[in-house]
Amino acid sequence: MKDNPGGAPADPWDTIDDLWKWLETDQPVGGREGLLLRMLKLSEEVGEVAEAVIGATGQNPRKGVTHTWEDVEAELCDVVITAMVALRTLTPEAREVFGRQLARVAGRPRGT
């Protein structure tokens, strides 16, 4: 995998493929159940975003401010990564599927 000067991979899908391969080699539960558990991981990650937002805004009076907006950023990135790995789990053509969907969404009419 080639890196850019800033340290980010040239193609994030290369990293996603590496993560997917790593997860597949040490998967405690396989088959359909493993696939479903991989999809449920998204809910866990979204919950961590919610926890970070609540913590960044101090909305839990018992705990106060426990997170930063940088924590929220990191958790949102975890959601994106987890979704990309989940998509790669469903199809080896994940980058093409994502590209087509992104193009569809970008091409939707936008209100004024």
Side-chain angles (χ1 to χ4, degrees):
M1 172 180 8
K2 296 179 183 173
D3 286 339
N4 290 330
D11 182 351
W13 285 104
D14 292 339
T15 302
I16 295 304
D17 285 339
D18 289 344
L19 290 169
W20 174 79
K21 288 174 191 169
W22 171 69
L23 288 168
E24 288 294 304
T25 59
D26 194 27
Q27 187 175 344
V29 178
R32 184 176 176 92
E33 186 177 356
L35 174 69
L36 296 174
L37 289 169
R38 181 87 37 95
M39 301 304 129
L40 286 176
K41 179 71 173 155
L42 273 168
S43 292
E44 177 188 357
E45 295 298 339
V46 170
E48 290 175 12
V49 171
E51 179 182 10
V53 169
I54 289 168
T57 58
Q59 290 303 300
N60 183 335
R62 193 172 46 83
K63 294 181 180 179
V65 175
T66 58
H67 291 73
T68 66
W69 288 106
E70 289 79 19
D71 294 327
V72 176
E73 291 170 358
E75 295 300 344
L76 285 168
C77 289
D78 287 349
V79 169
V80 172
I81 293 164
T82 302
M84 291 172 79
V85 170
L87 181 58
R88 174 59 185 90
T89 301
L90 285 175
T91 176
E93 305 299 322
R95 68 181 81 205
E96 292 82 7
V97 170
F98 180 78
R100 286 192 306 270
Q101 182 63 18
L102 184 59
R104 274 194 287 274
V105 170
R108 289 179 185 161
R110 295 183 176 110
T112 55

